[in-house]
Amino acid sequence: MLGRALPNEKPEYALTAAEIRVIDQLAARAGRTPAQNPRISEYLREIARLGGYLARSHDPPPGNIVMWRGWSRLMDIQLGAELASGTFMGN
């Protein structure tokens, strides 16, 4: 996984600006403040949280199923945000 291979890369390496914006808003609503120099591993952890990952200190890294669930939920939330704001660019 990208988060394990390149955890210190910038989130723009794998996420679009819209995805980053949605993740930042979701984290802020949950009371988590974004870091000054965000890393891709932090964003992937937020995606894993959407998939049910609890992110406790003794938990192993999230697996493929949790990441898939989180990614799927993120895409649904992003679509809803685009439809609500009128910026949806569907086919």
Side-chain angles (χ1 to χ4, degrees):
M1 293 185 113
L2 187 59
R4 295 176 189 163
L6 302 169
N8 296 320
E9 288 293 327
K10 294 183 178 183
E12 292 85 5
Y13 192 77
L15 302 169
T16 66
E19 292 165 349
I20 291 170
R21 194 169 39 255
V22 168
I23 293 170
D24 285 342
Q25 290 174 352
L26 291 170
R29 289 187 81 174
R32 293 183 291 276
T33 57
Q36 294 292 3
N37 295 317
R39 302 176 313 170
I40 194 166
S41 61
E42 296 164 3
Y43 281 88
L44 292 175
R45 188 178 312 114
E46 289 297 329
I47 293 171
R49 285 178 192 262
L50 290 173
Y53 184 64
L54 299 177
R56 298 173 295 200
S57 61
H58 62 280
D59 285 344
N64 292 332
I65 294 173
V66 169
M67 291 303 295
W68 182 257
R69 287 179 190 154
W71 191 257
S72 178
R73 187 157 181 228
L74 176 64
M75 294 298 104
D76 290 341
I77 293 168
Q78 183 180 354
L79 176 62
E82 289 176 0
L83 287 170
S85 68
T87 60
F88 178 67
M89 302 297 271
N91 294 336

